[in-house]
Amino acid sequence: QVQLVESGGGLVQPGGSLRLSCAASGSVFDIRDMGWYRQVPGQQRWLVGRVEAGGNSIYAESVKGRFTVSRDKAERTVDLQMDNLKPEDTATYYCMMSVLTTGTTKFKTYWGQGAQVTVST
C-alpha cells in the first residue's frame, strides 16, 4: 500500500558529505513522524534523526551538529544531510515514516529499502 524509496548513499572519504533522500508513494493519507535509522551487521537498528509531527527534531548524540533531517510533508519526502562524515558512520541507512493510509484509522511505520553509506579512505 505504501512504498518508501531511498536514493543516495555510496562511498565517501572521512570529512566528506553525503545526502540521502526518501520518497513515499501509494495510499498515503497523512504522515506523522519522518526520519532515519541506521544499522550495521549483527546490531540492532538505531535512530539517527527524526522529525516528529509537531516539528520537533531528535538526533542521536553521535550525529548532532553533523547530520540534518529535513522533511516535506506535502511532497512526502524526507532527506538526511550528512556532513563531516566519520568511519564510524558506516552503516546501512533506512528512512522511516509513520503513515496513515487511506481508509484506515491507525498510523503504521513503513521503512525504506536501505542505502549503504561507507566512510573510508
Side-chain angles (χ1 to χ4, degrees):
Q1 288 183 309
V2 175
Q3 298 81 38
L4 302 188
V5 178
E6 300 180 28
S7 59
L11 174 64
V12 64
Q13 293 186 347
S17 298
L18 278 177
R19 188 177 185 88
L20 302 179
S21 297
C22 175
S25 62
S27 303
V28 177
F29 182 76
D30 194 13
I31 302 175
R32 196 163 55 189
D33 297 2
M34 304 170 79
W36 293 86
Y37 288 68
R38 67 187 181 188
Q39 187 173 25
V40 298
Q43 296 185 21
Q44 69 182 75
R45 196 169 294 184
W46 292 97
L47 171 70
V48 174
R50 185 175 73 238
V51 180
E52 298 180 328
N56 184 44
S57 297
I58 300 172
Y59 290 94
E61 284 295 325
S62 61
V63 306
K64 281 184 179 178
R66 300 188 298 122
F67 290 13
T68 303
V69 177
S70 58
R71 71 174 192 176
D72 188 325
K73 190 176 177 182
E75 294 296 323
R76 304 174 181 178
T77 60
V78 60
D79 292 348
L80 177 65
Q81 177 65 40
M82 303 180 286
D83 298 318
N84 190 21
L85 281 158
K86 302 176 180 181
E88 51 264 41
D89 295 319
T90 296
T92 301
Y93 285 70
Y94 297 88
C95 64
M96 64 75 64
M97 297 186 190
S98 180
V99 177
L100 181 68
T101 54
T102 305
T104 65
T105 59
K106 292 184 178 181
F107 284 83
K108 179 182 176 181
T109 298
Y110 290 86
W111 296 93
Q113 80 277 17
Q116 179 64 37
V117 172
T118 302
V119 185
S120 176
T121 55

